[in-house]
Amino acid sequence: MKDKNDIHPEDKRNLIIFIVVAIGVWFLFDAYLLKPKLEELKQVQAEKVETEAMVPQLSPLEKQMAEVQTREQIMMKTRRIDMKNEKVFGTISTKGARIDDLSLQNYFETLNNKVHVSVLSPVGTDHPRYMETGWLSGDDTIKLPNKDTTWSTLGDDVDLTPNQDLTMYWDNGQGLRFEKTFKMDEAYALTVTQRVVNNGDKSVTLFPYALMTQHGLPKELYGRWIVHEGPIGYMDGELVELSYKKIRKKGGREIKTNKGWIGLTERYWFTGMIPEDEDESFKYRYIYSGTSKKGDQQSDRYQVDKTGDARSVEPGQSVEEVTHLYAGPKEVLVLQEYEKSLGAKHFDLIVDYGMWYFIAKPFFYVLYFIYKIVGNYGLAIVLFTILVRTAAFPLNNISYKSFAKLKKIGPRMKVLREEYGDNKEGMQKELMKLYEEEQVNPMSGCLPIILQIPIFFALYKVLLISIEMRHAPFFGWIKDLSAPDPTTVFNLFGVFDYSVPSFLQIGVWPCLMLFFMLLQRRLHPKPTDPVQQGIADAMPFMAAFILAKFASGLVIYWTFSNAFAVIQQYIIMRSMGIKVSLIHGRQDDELDEEGHTEGEIEDELEEELHAEQEAADKESKPIKPPKPKKKKKK
């Protein structure tokens, strides 16, 4: 009798076929898909392990909030090599071979010219920032130089100057000799050539790197969105900017390309790196590490770095890597020279002119050209104002003529509004007839003003970020055109000796600007709506209060611009037969060509309208037939 639990022969065959096919599919999947993927993953992980060491780890001493020391105290701890030219001065430490001490010869922190601006400072000072180069390896058995390595120099008393290079070396005891040669030009660039000589009996693979690290936020942080501050770079045709706040919240970025430059920028200063070889592929990174939400702790670190491709060094052979370092002011003309000499494409984009770049940069060139002639940036701004007003005269002429015509028909417009009251449709028709009769286009007065807004913002950018304006004096009390007017009306411009809150800092130049804005306001037609008129009357005071906090150079420009506008508009209105007065009462600047005041014009218009209405009433009144005469009684 057949057992019910026996498998049918066909089912056995199908089961065996399924098992064979499943095993075959598994082996095919493992051989052609899984193994290659695993090998690729292992290779990626191996490369990651090899290149992840590109950033030297901070030691526990650097991570903790150590006591801040002076620059002099730090300098005494290690042997340092002096470097100096006509633009910069500083030292290079033999410990770690870091470039961490560099100051500017011609720029000072304050107007008293006592403390030089430092763009690089060693770890342990108030605001550390340094540049470091070196080599990396995936082989942990190879000894590599780090920040604690003590380097030797070729010669005992060696200084780094434009006429004399500096070479440091270190032997790892395994047959590898590491060398660094520093070269200085006449301005703000250093060139670091690092070399590895293999005197051993086996080949090694190394990766060159260079980094720029900053602890905490910079000392002269401007801290406003109008100017980019933080990591910046131009790589593979793209300008990459990350603010300090953004990199703290969203992390860094990594870009691999064979062309570019990278660094850290402030309002006036820039420190960055440019590779020598454009044919080599580099990995550029923006990195942040720390726990501070505001980014004001020394333990916070902002870093930009670059890592080159693997270099195989055979026994008896050597390899080298060249990196250029720029550390100095953001002078446009100097940056353009380095763009050519170092091959740093679009290096002038370090100067953040923003969206009005195509207007702001030509403005800078014009200002700089005028400055070279007159020798004073304040005078250059005044002459530049004349050029701008002259160039914009065709537009201003249209605007002023439109305002003059509107002012001329202002009384008639007011009477029409009072006559029609709430009948908006009827009033609009009559206004259109009036505009057509007098050939007035209200929009023609607004369009030229709108077109001049980019000019204002572009010049604002130039005066705000151009280092040429920093600590540039004018006349009298204006010692820095990039800073607000230091006087204030609330202590009678210094007559009374007491300090005033910063938000009440309204100086002499903002008051002069307000005076000319009020004169210009008198030449414009008055809005008929009381609310609009109140807003228009308050606008000059609001503008003076806001612009008083801006750079004094911008306020000087706006003051002279308004003064020229008043003169131009006054001449145009007089040429059109409109009598105006900028001194007497407000009724005098509402005269028509016959010398009538606004009130007289309104009375005449009302009388004319009433007369026309009476005449129309008489014409429309029906004529009654004569009454029949009564017959006399005889």
Side-chain angles (χ1 to χ4, degrees):
M1 184 176 177
K2 189 176 179 180
D3 191 353
K4 293 182 180 180
N5 294 325
D6 288 344
I7 301 176
H8 193 276
E10 291 185 0
D11 293 338
K12 286 183 178 181
R13 183 188 63 186
N14 294 338
L15 180 61
I16 294 173
I17 293 174
F18 172 77
I19 294 174
V20 171
V21 171
I23 295 174
V25 170
W26 168 255
F27 276 108
L28 291 174
F29 174 78
D30 182 67
Y32 292 99
L33 292 177
L34 186 59
K35 282 186 177 180
K37 288 291 182 182
L38 290 175
E39 291 294 331
E40 183 179 352
L41 182 61
K42 288 180 181 179
Q43 185 177 357
V44 171
Q45 290 177 344
E47 291 178 356
K48 184 177 180 181
V49 170
E50 286 181 336
T51 59
E52 250 184 4
M54 63 185 292
V55 183
Q57 297 297 316
L58 292 175
S59 66
L61 180 62
E62 289 181 332
K63 284 185 177 180
Q64 65 186 8
M65 291 293 293
E67 182 181 357
V68 176
Q69 301 179 2
T70 64
R71 184 181 293 268
E72 291 72 19
Q73 290 174 327
I74 298 296
M75 300 301 162
M76 295 174 60
K77 293 183 178 181
T78 59
R79 180 193 172 202
R80 287 182 170 268
I81 309 300
D82 292 330
M83 57 177 174
K84 186 178 182 180
N85 63 16
E86 294 183 357
K87 301 292 186 180
V88 300
F89 67 94
T91 60
I92 299 178
S93 176
T94 55
K95 182 180 180 181
R98 282 178 174 176
I99 304 176
D100 60 357
D101 174 33
L102 192 67
S103 301
L104 305 179
Q105 295 272 23
N106 303 322
Y107 292 95
F108 300 87
E109 292 185 0
T110 58
L111 289 170
N112 58 18
N113 294 346
K114 291 184 178 180
V115 181
H116 292 271
V117 171
S118 297
V119 290
L120 296 177
S121 299
V123 174
T125 56
D126 194 15
H127 295 275
R129 182 189 290 172
Y130 53 86
M131 187 262 191
E132 178 181 297
T133 60
W135 299 89
L136 311 168
S137 175
D139 188 352
D140 296 336
T141 61
I142 299 178
K143 296 180 181 179
L144 299 173
N146 54 39
K147 64 182 181 62
D148 296 319
T149 300
T150 300
W151 293 70
S152 302
T153 59
L154 295 178
D156 295 331
D157 298 324
V158 180
D159 292 339
L160 177 59
T161 66
N163 300 321
Q164 182 173 273
D165 300 339
L166 168 66
T167 299
M168 296 183 177
Y169 65 91
W170 178 74
D171 196 311
N172 72 343
Q174 297 174 329
L176 296 180
R177 176 186 171 93
F178 296 88
E179 298 179 358
K180 289 186 180 182
T181 300
F182 301 88
K183 294 183 178 182
M184 172 180 276
D185 70 354
E186 299 288 345
Y188 305 105
L190 293 172
T191 301
V192 182
T193 303
Q194 52 178 349
R195 184 180 301 104
V196 179
V197 181
N198 189 354
N199 297 320
D201 55 0
K202 64 177 183 178
S203 64
V204 295
T205 300
L206 301 175
F207 299 83
Y209 77 88
L211 60 83
M212 183 76 63
T213 300
Q214 173 182 293
H215 291 246
L217 297 175
K219 185 177 182 179
E220 295 187 13
L221 182 69
Y222 187 63
R224 299 181 185 177
W225 64 270
I226 196 70
V227 179
H228 172 69
E229 295 173 291
I232 185 175
Y234 188 85
M235 292 147 286
D236 199 20
E238 178 186 6
L239 181 66
V240 181
E241 297 175 319
L242 294 181
S243 64
Y244 292 114
K245 183 178 181 180
K246 185 175 181 179
I247 197 172
R248 284 196 304 268
K249 289 186 174 181
K250 298 183 179 180
R253 186 172 176 179
E254 182 178 306
I255 300 172
K256 191 167 185 179
T257 182
N258 61 340
K259 296 180 181 180
W261 48 265
I262 195 169
L264 298 169
T265 185
E266 300 177 55
R267 180 182 178 185
Y268 294 123
W269 325 112
F270 173 76
T271 52
M273 303 167 293
I274 308 101
E276 172 78 13
D277 190 3
E278 290 190 353
D279 296 330
E280 181 182 357
S281 179
F282 289 92
K283 181 169 68 174
Y284 296 90
R285 299 198 310 174
Y286 298 77
I287 302 174
Y288 165 76
S289 63
T291 58
S292 172
K293 294 182 179 180
K294 295 183 178 181
D296 53 0
Q297 298 182 13
Q298 275 197 327
S299 60
D300 288 358
R301 186 177 72 176
Y302 305 90
Q303 180 168 299
V304 293
D305 54 47
K306 67 180 184 67
T307 307
D309 293 333
R311 305 288 186 86
S312 179
V313 191
E314 302 297 330
Q317 301 294 321
S318 65
V319 296
E320 67 178 31
E321 173 70 18
V322 181
T323 302
H324 301 288
L325 166 69
Y326 181 92
K330 298 197 294 188
E331 299 177 5
V332 175
L333 300 181
V334 173
L335 295 174
Q336 289 179 345
E337 289 296 325
Y338 279 118
E339 180 176 343
K340 298 176 183 177
S341 61
L342 301 181
K345 191 174 182 181
H346 294 299
F347 202 48
D348 61 334
L349 290 180
I350 294 170
V351 183
D352 182 19
Y353 284 125
M355 64 181 297
W356 304 114
Y357 177 90
F358 60 96
I359 303 177
K361 196 169 183 180
F363 279 4
F364 167 78
Y365 287 134
V366 174
L367 271 174
Y368 186 78
F369 176 77
I370 299 175
Y371 164 74
K372 284 297 183 180
I373 297 175
V374 300
N376 184 286
Y377 269 112
L379 285 177
I381 291 173
V382 175
L383 295 176
F384 177 81
T385 305
I386 298 175
L387 291 178
V388 171
R389 298 301 306 189
T390 303
F393 179 75
L395 288 176
N396 293 331
N397 191 31
I398 297 173
S399 176
Y400 296 152
K401 284 185 176 180
S402 177
F403 283 142
K405 290 180 179 179
L406 286 173
K407 191 178 183 69
K408 183 178 179 180
I409 66 173
R412 298 176 64 182
M413 295 170 59
K414 184 175 181 180
V415 171
L416 287 175
R417 288 190 174 93
E418 292 177 354
E419 189 72 23
Y420 281 89
D422 296 333
N423 186 3
K424 302 294 184 181
E425 184 177 352
M427 182 182 66
Q428 194 67 25
K429 289 181 179 180
E430 293 299 324
L431 284 176
M432 291 298 104
K433 290 180 181 179
L434 181 60
Y435 291 155
E436 185 177 356
E437 177 185 346
E438 298 293 336
Q439 296 181 351
V440 176
N441 183 3
M443 293 304 298
S444 62
C446 301
L447 184 59
I449 297 177
I450 295 174
L451 294 178
Q452 291 184 60
I453 292 177
I455 297 176
F456 175 81
F457 281 106
L459 185 63
Y460 168 64
K461 265 285 194 175
V462 171
L463 297 177
L464 178 69
I465 66 176
S466 294
I467 193 171
E468 290 80 4
M469 305 296 167
R470 182 181 183 269
H471 293 179
F474 188 36
F475 295 114
W477 62 94
I478 301 297
K479 306 298 183 182
D480 185 0
L481 289 169
S482 66
D485 189 326
T487 60
T488 176
V489 68
F490 292 99
N491 63 4
L492 290 184
F493 310 112
V495 174
F496 299 105
D497 187 16
Y498 61 87
S499 59
V500 176
S502 59
F503 71 93
L504 294 178
Q505 201 80 19
I506 303 176
V508 176
W509 279 104
C511 290
L512 288 174
M513 180 186 65
L514 174 61
F515 171 74
F516 286 109
M517 291 177 71
L518 291 175
L519 288 183
Q520 192 175 21
R521 176 73 192 94
R522 292 174 65 85
L523 296 176
H524 288 181
K526 289 193 305 180
T528 55
D529 182 62
V531 177
Q532 294 180 4
Q533 182 175 340
I535 294 175
D537 291 338
M539 282 301 295
F541 297 94
M542 295 174 58
F545 180 79
I546 295 173
L547 291 177
K549 313 302 184 297
F550 284 38
S552 56
L554 186 68
V555 178
I556 291 172
Y557 162 79
W558 203 242
T559 301
F560 278 93
S561 180
N562 288 329
F564 279 104
V566 170
I567 295 172
Q568 290 176 346
Q569 191 167 355
Y570 181 86
I571 294 174
I572 291 173
M573 293 179 71
R574 291 301 298 266
S575 67
M576 296 178 64
I578 302 175
K579 296 181 180 181
V580 293
S581 175
L582 299 175
I583 300 174
H584 300 292
R586 187 172 182 85
Q587 70 277 6
D588 291 338
D589 62 354
E590 301 293 346
L591 302 174
D592 70 349
E593 59 270 23
E594 282 85 20
H596 298 135
T597 63
E598 179 181 338
E600 294 172 350
I601 295 173
E602 291 180 3
D603 293 340
E604 292 178 1
L605 290 173
E606 288 180 2
E607 291 177 1
E608 291 178 3
L609 289 174
H610 286 306
E612 293 177 358
Q613 185 67 34
E614 290 177 359
D617 292 341
K618 290 180 180 181
E619 292 178 359
S620 60
K621 188 176 181 181
I623 299 175
K624 296 181 179 180
K627 295 181 179 180
K629 293 182 178 181
K630 295 182 179 180
K631 293 181 178 181
K632 295 182 179 180
K633 295 182 178 179
K634 293 181 179 181

